Amino acid sequence: MTPAPYGLQGRAAVITGATRGIGRAVAQALASAGALVCVTARDADEVRRTAAELGGVGLAGDVADPGHPRRLTDLALREFGRLDILVNNAATNQPYGPLMEADPGDWRTAFVINVEAPLRLAQCAWRAWMSEHGGTVINVCTEGAAHVGPNVGAYGTSKAALLHLTQQLAGELGPRVRVNSVSPGLVRTEMARFVWEPTESEVSAALPLGRIGEPEDIARAVLWLASDAAEWVTGADLVVDGGTRVRAARTPTLQGRGTV
């Protein structure tokens, strides 16, 4: 499952939003590659269950809590003695709706969770371990950060800020620390259920690769970026979207035809 270049034996990883969906798949992929995993999410029971299943440790909490990044970092260092990989996956898609109707408090919360929390966690990881020993930070962004759409203005704007933050940190923290992002397209998660469930067949048919994404598709991209196979990659955004950005060029009549 994990070729030698992807081996992470002896390394320690922190993954936020790690009890379901993309975060859970990422934590599983890293653990399967040999990493020691520290997981976090808001539901304490789910955190305990996930940590036990993956042979790691966990800390329940909200990444919007100013003290959570430090407590999470301290736990990883106390249990593992190191912190090599940080995956900022926790996110909110609220407030959902037209920006002219967005509540200012909900808008601020979106930026705290989607932008500020990844920065605070990166700061803690840098100060506690990575500034001296190196490491990698991977932010889960979105393919939608590159364009606009109805009702997702707050989410898209905050993720566009996260994309810029990724590139800024890559420039500031190199060469010891690599910072990259993965931008998923539509993935089969609970957070996106209201998007994919009603029209999955139509959405899938419009994509060049013929299906929506699975959490494991994103996890494999994160695993590659976390591994030594990507040791000369920083400041990059790896789009994993099944061809969403190129679907306008799709010609259904050519589907299934061979080449001459």
Side-chain angles (χ1 to χ4, degrees), residues 69-244:
R70 175 57 62 85
R71 291 192 293 271
L72 189 59
T73 302
D74 288 346
L75 174 63
L77 289 174
R78 185 169 63 251
E79 295 295 325
F80 304 143
R82 57 191 302 152
L83 175 48
D84 307 280
I85 302 161
L86 169 62
V87 182
N88 287 306
N89 169 71
T92 180
N93 59 4
Q94 300 298 315
Y96 182 81
L99 288 184
M100 293 303 97
E101 300 174 9
D103 177 79
D106 292 340
W107 172 267
R108 286 191 291 271
T109 298
F111 276 81
V112 170
I113 295 174
N114 294 350
V115 187
E116 183 178 325
L119 172 60
R120 299 305 171 214
L121 279 159
Q123 288 175 328
C124 288
W126 169 263
R127 293 165 182 165
W129 178 264
M130 292 185 181
S131 62
E132 290 188 26
H133 305 281
T136 182
V137 177
I138 302 161
N139 296 321
V140 179
C141 196
T142 176
E143 180 274 334
H147 54 78
V148 301
N151 299 319
V152 291
Y155 181 70
T157 303
S158 64
K159 288 293 191 172
L162 179 61
L163 182 60
H164 185 87
L165 175 66
T166 299
Q167 295 168 343
Q168 183 70 31
L169 290 177
E172 292 189 13
L173 303 187
R176 287 195 178 276
V177 176
R178 297 186 296 108
V179 187
N180 295 288
S181 59
V182 173
S183 285
L186 182 58
V187 176
R188 196 189 307 277
T189 65
E190 284 300 317
M191 192 170 89
R193 178 177 290 276
F194 73 103
V195 179
W196 60 261
E197 192 170 52
T199 59
E200 180 178 354
S201 59
E202 292 87 345
V203 172
S204 297
L207 293 173
L209 294 186
R211 65 174 176 85
I212 66 172
E214 301 292 343
E216 291 75 17
D217 293 314
I218 313 306
R220 285 188 288 268
V222 172
L223 174 59
W224 179 73
L225 285 173
S227 75
D228 290 344
E231 65 179 357
W232 205 54
V233 179
T234 196
D237 180 44
L238 181 52
V239 178
V240 185
D241 69 350
T244 300

